[in-house]
Amino acid sequence: MKRTLSLTTLALALAGCASLKPGDEVADVNRLTQHHTGQSLAAEPLPPNTLAARLREPLSADAAVQLALQNSRALQARLARLGVTAAEVDEAGRLPNPGFSFSRLTRGDEVELERGWHVNLARLLTLPLVRQAEQRRLQAEQQQAAADVLALAADTRRAWVAAVAAEETLTYRRQVLEAADAGAELARRMQAVGNFNALARAREQGFAAEARLALARAEAQRLASRERLVRLLGLWGDDAAALRVPDRLPALPTTAREQPDIETLALAQRLDVQAARLRLEQAARQVDAGRINLFVSMLELGVVRNTSNEAPVQRGWEVTLELPLFGPGPLPRAQALAREAAHDAADTAIRARSEVREAYGLYRGAWDIARQHRDELLPLAQRISDEQLLRYNGMLIGVFELLADARAQVAAVAAAQDALRDFWLAQADLDQALLGRAAPTLPSAGAAPAAAAAAPH
């Protein structure tokens, strides 16, 4: 009986050593992401006073990412699900609980009591492999959770870019509408005194109508982009109404990144690639455990102590063995999962290489396009406008030609704004592609700005 108690005490002690501390799994995710985000993860949303203080000033891109990582309920739910996985892994890695059996038998005046303790030896034999496999599962889940954190950061940065670009576009479209309305009114008055024909006035009225439609689209785009950012930040009520972003996007960087080893870098640090490797290792451990269970699926060892009022005490041990005669056990399933994990790991690596090449190519293309707008098209449009104004002041052209040039200026500025927005979106896509799964955004196909003023009519 003392040996039985010692065995039980040892089993309980070892099981306790295998336990995970609550919160360790989130701490591991934080270590994976903090280097890239510069922000610790929070298990609860920000207090109202702290959140209100954060929203007093317009949010920068970095501040928006930090706020999303601290206040997003979706992220906190994701981390809570990780705690569920950690509890399952902890339970699977514990020693099997010992069993106890008791029976009371009578034969005439004879009373026999039988007591037994038993433990599953098959599970004990496979426990190291099970622990390793389950630990790989937890690590893979942590890698996936970290990838979700980085995806939230990238989505927030893209949403911030879109929201700021929408604010800038809305401001500019309001200015354009004011100028278009003034031009339409001028055309009406000049036609009234005989200096404008009906065609010229109709053109100015059409330009004003297009400006109103563009303003309506800009207002809708501002609403949609703002609400997308609000959702990612976890804001609602007065906090959502208090959200402010800067009036314009940052200027285009002087030079673009040069990253010739971008595929190697992505394979080394992408979390989905690391998670796929861990899943493959987990599947291999499950195959090893399945081979052990191929011949013996259940093996129990127990100690027995029988007492009787008419006979000496009986002591001994017993073995319970279950043979898998009617099936191969878990091995075929484990082997199929291992094949799936191997193909998934290869597919993840192939996809990572392609995504990062695509993201880098779009990034360089977006930088070239935005630089061309900044350094060539906008200065050229401004030069044309200045020349047209000089000609108008010298009475070489009429007001219609000057107004036509104003329309060309609007197209040039709008295209430059779109190009700058596309660049910052492309940079956010590239940053995400280097760390996890990404869907690079294709640049918008905006209308090309006019290179010269319209010909006189």
Side-chain angles (χ1 to χ4, degrees):
M1 192 67 178
K2 291 182 179 180
R3 288 185 301 173
T4 302
L5 293 177
S6 300
L7 178 62
T8 305
T9 304
L10 178 60
L12 293 175
L14 290 176
C17 293
S19 299
L20 294 174
K21 294 180 181 179
D24 283 351
E25 67 281 354
V26 177
D28 290 337
V29 174
N30 192 58
R31 282 192 290 271
L32 291 170
T33 60
Q34 191 168 10
H35 172 70
H36 303 291
T37 63
Q39 180 61 51
S40 298
L41 302 176
E44 297 293 335
L46 291 175
N49 293 339
T50 303
L51 183 58
R54 294 277 190 91
L55 297 174
R56 289 195 185 107
E57 299 294 333
L59 285 180
S60 65
D62 292 337
V65 170
Q66 291 176 358
L67 183 57
L69 296 183
Q70 289 183 320
N71 199 61
S72 171
R73 293 300 184 94
L75 177 59
Q76 288 153 11
R78 178 67 180 88
L79 296 178
R81 289 198 302 274
L82 182 61
V84 175
T85 302
E88 293 173 351
V89 170
D90 185 45
E91 181 65 23
R94 291 180 183 272
L95 288 171
N97 292 320
F100 173 71
S101 63
F102 175 81
S103 63
R104 183 179 183 275
L105 304 175
T106 60
R107 182 186 294 121
D109 294 334
E110 179 182 357
V111 178
E112 181 178 346
L113 301 178
E114 181 176 337
R115 294 170 290 271
W117 289 88
H118 56 88
V119 64
N120 192 331
L121 286 184
R123 184 171 175 185
L124 280 177
L125 292 174
T126 60
L127 187 59
L129 294 175
V130 171
R131 281 181 175 174
Q132 292 176 4
E134 289 298 304
Q135 192 60 35
R136 293 294 186 274
R137 181 165 79 94
L138 177 59
Q139 292 174 358
E141 187 67 18
Q142 289 171 334
Q143 294 281 356
Q144 186 57 56
D148 293 340
V149 170
L150 297 178
L152 173 62
D155 290 342
T156 303
R157 194 173 295 274
R158 283 191 290 263
W160 181 88
V161 170
V164 175
E167 292 284 351
E168 186 174 359
T169 299
L170 180 61
T171 300
Y172 181 66
R173 287 300 177 181
R174 286 170 177 164
Q175 296 172 355
V176 170
L177 180 58
E178 291 178 3
D181 285 340
E185 178 62 19
L186 176 62
R188 184 189 67 79
R189 294 181 181 182
M190 293 186 71
Q191 185 189 23
V193 298
N195 293 332
F196 247 35
N197 58 37
L199 178 60
R201 180 186 174 186
R203 284 197 178 97
E204 296 309 313
Q205 288 177 325
F207 178 58
E210 291 175 358
R212 289 189 186 90
L213 289 176
L215 178 60
R217 285 192 292 267
E219 289 174 341
Q221 184 62 35
R222 176 187 180 273
L223 173 64
S225 60
R226 180 182 175 86
E227 289 300 329
R228 190 176 301 114
L229 181 59
V230 163
R231 291 194 297 272
L232 291 170
L233 297 179
L235 303 178
W236 64 283
D238 294 338
D239 292 329
L243 174 64
R244 289 189 295 160
V245 295
D247 296 331
R248 59 180 62 250
L249 290 170
L252 186 71
T254 306
T255 58
R257 299 180 189 175
E258 294 291 343
Q259 292 182 303
D261 58 342
I262 194 167
E263 289 186 43
T264 303
L265 181 61
L267 291 178
Q269 66 181 20
R270 276 186 58 139
L271 297 180
D272 59 339
V273 174
Q274 297 175 20
R277 291 171 181 165
L278 290 171
R279 286 193 295 269
L280 182 58
E281 293 178 8
Q282 176 202 1
R285 300 292 182 185
Q286 294 287 6
V287 170
D288 292 340
R291 289 195 177 99
I292 293 177
N293 289 328
L294 182 60
F295 301 102
V296 178
S297 60
M298 192 274 287
L299 175 65
E300 289 186 349
L301 173 65
V303 293
V304 181
R305 183 175 185 269
N306 297 334
T307 60
S308 174
N309 60 348
E310 296 184 359
V313 176
Q314 289 180 320
R315 296 182 179 88
W317 56 272
E318 64 179 3
V319 174
T320 303
L321 180 66
E322 179 180 307
L323 300 177
L325 299 179
F326 304 105
L331 182 59
R333 179 178 182 274
Q335 291 174 332
L337 288 175
R339 290 192 297 271
E340 178 188 8
H343 293 309
D344 180 69
D347 175 70
T348 301
I350 293 171
R351 187 176 59 247
R353 289 175 177 271
S354 176
E355 287 176 356
V356 77
R357 288 196 305 267
E358 179 186 4
Y360 184 65
L362 291 175
Y363 163 81
R364 288 304 303 260
W367 185 85
D368 290 336
I369 292 171
R371 181 193 57 78
Q372 187 174 8
H373 278 282
R374 181 195 64 186
D375 297 344
E376 298 180 27
L377 295 177
L378 275 181
L380 180 60
Q382 184 61 48
R383 180 180 175 184
I384 292 173
S385 179
D386 293 341
E387 291 294 330
Q388 289 287 75
L389 183 59
L390 289 175
R391 295 179 66 187
Y392 174 77
N393 291 334
M395 303 184 71
L396 299 177
I397 62 173
V399 70
F400 172 76
E401 288 82 3
L402 194 62
L403 292 174
D405 177 68
R407 292 194 292 271
Q409 281 279 349
V410 170
V413 173
Q417 289 177 338
D418 290 345
L420 183 59
R421 177 203 62 203
D422 290 344
F423 166 77
W424 288 113
L425 289 174
Q427 178 167 301
D429 289 339
L430 176 59
D431 292 338
Q432 172 62 14
L434 286 168
L435 300 175
R437 296 193 64 172
T441 306
L442 295 176
S444 59
H457 293 265

